[in-house]
Amino acid sequence: MEKLVIQGGMRLSGSVTISGAKNAAVAIIAASILVDGVCKIENIPDIKDVFTIVNIIQNLGAKVTYISEGIIEIDSKNICSHRADYDQVKKMRASYYLLGALLGRFKCACVAMPGGCDFGARPIDQHIKGFEALGATVNLQHGLIEVVAPELRAGHVYLDTVSVGATINIMLAAVFAKGTTIIENSAKEPHIVDLANFLNAMGAKVKGAGTDIIRIIGVDHLKGGCYSIIPDQIEAGTFMIAAAAVGDDVLIKNVIPKHMDSLTAKLIEIGAQIEELDDAIRVKNIGNLKSTNIKTMPYPGFPTDLQPQMVALLSASRGVSVVTEGVWDNRFQYADELKRMGAKIHVDGRTAVIEGVSALWGAPVRATDLRAGAGMIIAALMADGETEITELKHIDRGYVSIENKLCMLGAKIERVDE
Ligand code: EPU
């Protein structure tokens, strides 16, 4: 069993480069199923979720070539199967993008109910509503989702809840649907825009991505091409929070500062010093951080995927903070782990009240999910003494060698295999 052993109290300084966005990469790799030709994709992050989706499309028949670090070529010409079973898809949530992509290509898809982080109920009713609006019939049985459409025709979908996954799945399924598909109340996350840009670069006609109405004008086919994935908003945010916690002067490079606006505003509010550059952000801890209130929301609101990291920071900031989770039902499971480090957190449903303590202390803790694991790392960097973090499989799904990047900035972290 691997664990991270972190010595707290080290200050961070220097520069770190952010990798390509996980949530864009997994959608774009699935979207390559729709492309008739070779796609060269750059800035691919070297993380487990990418290996998993690459492995799944290879099993379906795609040819994937690793060109060099962060660059792959995908040729989906020989994909002949429209079925992905549970043993393939159980490791990650985003494997449900196969439904939209395979439906778009073959007019049928059969994919097992996917796995991923456990935040309570993760329904897919909005994905189903979208597929049905395009003329498909959806059957759920024996843990499989089967979607079949004799013919894909454009549809008009108003999402009942803003869903990243449903927006992406409907976009994928609609690329070849005859006419203009309209998605209203669509998600606006940076990776939605990145997927639309990828599809458009391959010949699709997707308009309005990044607003709450997306229009997809059906085309006959997508050609190959080259595309570079955007920087990871959540990795960038994680490093910004780490730097706000213990950074003397940290330059975070390969960032789109606009994507970070909600976090930047909060960090300034609690007392961190932030300087925005063209494609980088400089963050300094100048001491005396104070409490704040946060509610997570779909983009451009404060991202739920930065909530645990921010709660870790607020646990050692002066005053009482109230953090409300506005996206997931059960995203405070990690609070008990932070309490082992001396944090004072009271969770009631979707709200956590955090009473800042003067210091956290090192303790053995678990990464209960991907971003909770990042939160534990930030807490460990601030704590007095040594922290051991186990269940690294979650962290490795979504961060490119996070401990090496932090060590380059001056942290003391070792990965130990017991
Ligand atoms: N929802 C429904 N019905 C649906 C779909 C979603 O009610 O059919 C609800 C969910 O239960 C949730 C809300 O809508 O309450 C938002 O869910 P969404 O579909 O937006 O989430 P997702 O697509 O499953 C993606 C990210 C998550 C991130 C959320 C919210 C990927 C691969 N995953 O999940 O990222 O938390 O959006 O921003 O893009 C992570 O990277 O650590 C991660 C968990």
Side-chain angles (χ1 to χ4, degrees), residues 1 23 29 89 104 123 163 184 186 226 228 230 242 244 260 270 304 307 313 348 362 381 390:
M1 186 186 62
N23 290 343
I29 292 169
V89 307
S163 161
E184 287 198 67
S186 54
C226 183
S228 184
I230 50 164
M260 310 313 305
I270 67 170
T304 172
Q307 181 257 92
L313 177 62
D348 185 5
L381 293 172
T390 50

Side-chain angles (χ1 to χ4, degrees), residues 22-23 26 93-94 96-97 117 119 121-127 161-166 189 191 304-305 327-328 331 350 370-371:
K22 164 179 97 76
N23 290 343
V26 293
R93 194 75 195 161
Y96 57 27
Y97 296 151
C117 290
F119 309 136
R122 295 188 74 168
I124 57 162
D125 55 308
Q126 300 305 303
H127 303 236
T161 184
V162 177
S163 161
V164 170
E189 268 65 8
H191 43 289
T304 172
D305 293 342
V327 178
W328 298 110
R331 204 167 190 176
R350 283 178 167 226
L370 166 57
R371 308 303 175 185

Side-chain angles (χ1 to χ4, degrees), residues 85-102:
D85 289 319
Y86 183 62
D87 54 339
Q88 295 176 54
V89 307
K90 66 183 171 196
K91 292 185 199 139
M92 64 186 284
R93 194 75 195 161
S95 45
Y96 57 27
Y97 296 151
L98 296 169
L99 282 169
L102 290 168

Side-chain angles (χ1 to χ4, degrees), residues 3 7 116 148 158 161 227 251 303 329 387 409:
K3 59 185 182 186
Q7 310 300 330
V148 183
Y158 196 110
T161 184
Y227 191 77
L251 183 66
D329 283 338
T387 298
L409 293 172

